[in-house]
Amino acid sequence: MDTIALLAFRTSKDAFFATDDHSPIPASDRDAFEGLSYFAPDPDLAFSVMPLSVPPEPVTIATTTGDERTYQRVATIDIVVADRPVTLSLYDSGHPGWFLPFRDTTSGHETYGAGRYLDLQPNDDGSVTIDFNYAYQPFCAYNDRYSCALPPIENWLDVPIRAGERQPA
């Protein structure tokens, strides 16, 4: 895990949220925005793993506004978090790379209740880096006008992921 790159990424994201016209923070609230809340970087929550390809299967995923979206489950990954084996599904969302929506035991307490996301790109050797330090809350965590995918139950973890974005203190 490259802590310097992570902290630079967070600084850039905070600037985007504070100033950009595409920020989910309503324009009227941006002057008071002081930055996102993050967990301290944790190198134990970054993994480089080889995904297991699965035959593409459509998965209907509910959204925060009651709509549904269809993604393609295309791979799974196996990791160990807090000494517990975890399997997660990766989805094709129609954008480059894979989409990993997840919930964990911090959801609704320390992090956004509807879950968090990771956007993943395969490495040159076919592996993928799962770095939960980059886990982010979807835009609907900051603004009700967004409709965000809810992590399917297969990506609900019974362990805490104290990395990435968190609810404001």
Side-chain angles (χ1 to χ4, degrees):
M1 183 185 92
D2 183 343
T3 302
I4 293 171
L6 173 66
L7 295 176
F9 173 82
R10 289 177 174 183
T11 298
S12 175
K13 186 164 188 177
D14 284 347
F16 167 81
F17 270 55
T19 62
D20 196 278
D21 288 340
H22 295 100
S23 169
I25 305 296
S28 60
D29 296 340
R30 289 188 199 140
D31 286 343
F33 178 74
E34 296 180 5
L36 298 172
S37 294
Y38 299 98
F39 288 100
D42 186 347
D44 291 336
L45 290 171
F47 308 87
S48 183
V49 297
M50 195 62 75
L52 174 64
S53 294
V54 297
E57 180 180 347
V59 176
T60 301
I61 296 178
T63 71
T64 55
T65 57
D67 298 325
E68 293 181 338
R69 297 184 190 152
T70 301
Y71 295 85
Q72 296 287 321
R73 181 186 309 109
V74 293
T76 60
I77 54 125
D78 294 311
I79 56 175
V80 176
V81 177
D83 296 324
R84 291 161 95 178
V86 171
T87 298
L88 290 161
S89 292
L90 307 180
Y91 304 92
D92 179 346
S93 65
H95 301 286
W98 294 306
F99 177 53
L100 172 53
F102 70 95
R103 284 179 53 108
D104 64 281
T105 60
T106 70
S107 299
H109 308 286
E110 297 171 77
T111 62
Y112 183 53
R116 292 181 288 162
Y117 301 161
L118 282 170
D119 297 316
L120 308 172
Q121 298 297 323
N123 299 317
D124 291 340
D125 66 356
S127 68
V128 65
T129 300
I130 310 292
D131 189 343
F132 287 106
N133 293 287
Y134 287 89
Y136 66 94
Q137 301 184 133
F139 278 9
C140 55
Y142 307 103
N143 191 320
D144 290 342
R145 73 175 193 201
Y146 292 93
S147 178
C148 303
L150 297 170
I153 198 162
E154 65 193 12
N155 280 358
W156 288 19
L157 309 178
D158 63 355
V159 296
I161 303 292
R162 290 191 176 91
E165 289 180 29
R166 62 184 301 166
Q167 292 289 72

